Amino acid sequence: MVLEMKCSICGQQCGLFKSYHEDCKSAMIMAATKIYSIINRYENGNLACGKMEMIELIKNEPLYRTYLMNQISGKDQIYNNEIILYVEKDVAVSEQKNRCTMVRTGYRWERKPVWNPSSVLLSDSADMVFTDKAVYLLLMGSSMRYPYGKIVNIGYNDEKFMCPPEVFFDVKTTSPFPHRFFVWNKYQKEKAEKVKQVLSCIMGYKYMQ
């Protein structure tokens, strides 16, 4: 018995030696083009915030919703009541923050906080999922979720000598120092640009450079 291949877009059988239905591919390309049109309008200053337009588009494109869901390796990590708006696969993610330890200083030996910087590579092949409520970092066997209301800053570093371009965002913290995540891909350098544009468009937040 010969097993037929399943369409990578709709998940249904599509025949031998095929990875998608032609109709599914055309519909997916059309929906993706509309998404990028919303992002470009925001980038060009013709849209205050693109999130609501993206939500309405996704709601009316069930095939594209299925396609986005099929792109996610850790589907069970995404809240069921959230709408997936965009997925960026295979990005490297690092976390930078300052950890506090209490030490005794001064002639009175008073306990005072000392902040020590810490930077950790969380994954070199993570999935970044944008929903209508939060951004997810899907790591190997774990996930991190940050509601957009917890993100206080977005930035972008251009490509430098031996370093690919990277996007970063800061989340709320009680520390006087930023709690920052960096996202990049050294082989597909356009991924950082896409993440920057999508996150900025959804939040209606202009990034710093």
Side-chain angles (χ1 to χ4, degrees), residues 61-195:
E61 297 284 351
L63 190 62
Y64 193 64
R65 287 204 309 270
T66 302
Y67 168 75
L68 289 175
M69 183 60 75
N70 289 339
Q71 295 299 299
I72 303 172
S73 53
K75 301 179 183 66
D76 58 326
Q77 304 292 325
I78 309 299
Y79 287 13
N80 291 331
N81 65 337
E82 296 185 14
I83 302 170
I84 299 171
L85 303 179
Y86 191 88
V87 178
E88 192 66 61
K89 296 182 65 65
D90 298 323
V91 293
V93 180
S94 67
E95 181 183 23
Q96 183 183 85
K97 62 181 178 180
N98 285 257
R99 300 181 183 278
C100 180
T101 55
M102 300 298 291
V103 297
R104 293 188 179 277
T105 60
Y107 70 94
R108 294 184 178 178
W109 285 89
E110 296 177 332
R111 291 175 61 86
K112 294 187 176 181
V114 173
W115 296 91
N116 300 300
S118 171
S119 183
V120 179
L121 176 64
L122 300 177
S123 174
D124 57 5
S125 183
D127 289 351
M128 197 168 184
V129 180
F130 301 84
T131 74
D132 59 326
K133 294 183 174 65
V135 58
Y136 290 78
L137 301 173
L138 303 184
L139 313 172
M140 187 67 70
S142 64
S143 66
M144 306 175 84
R145 177 183 182 273
Y146 289 99
Y148 296 119
K150 296 288 186 181
I151 298 176
V152 296
N153 182 42
I154 305 170
Y156 183 77
N157 296 326
D158 285 320
E159 182 176 4
K160 298 176 182 177
F161 179 70
M162 299 296 288
C163 295
E166 58 186 8
V167 62
F168 63 85
F169 63 93
D170 299 341
V171 298
K172 286 182 180 179
T173 176
T174 56
S175 164
F177 303 97
H179 182 183
R180 181 165 291 179
F181 291 90
F182 292 91
V183 180
W184 73 95
N185 185 303
K186 64 180 178 180
Y187 301 112
Q188 301 178 62
K189 298 176 182 179
E190 71 280 0
K191 284 183 176 286
E193 178 84 13
K194 288 181 181 178
V195 168

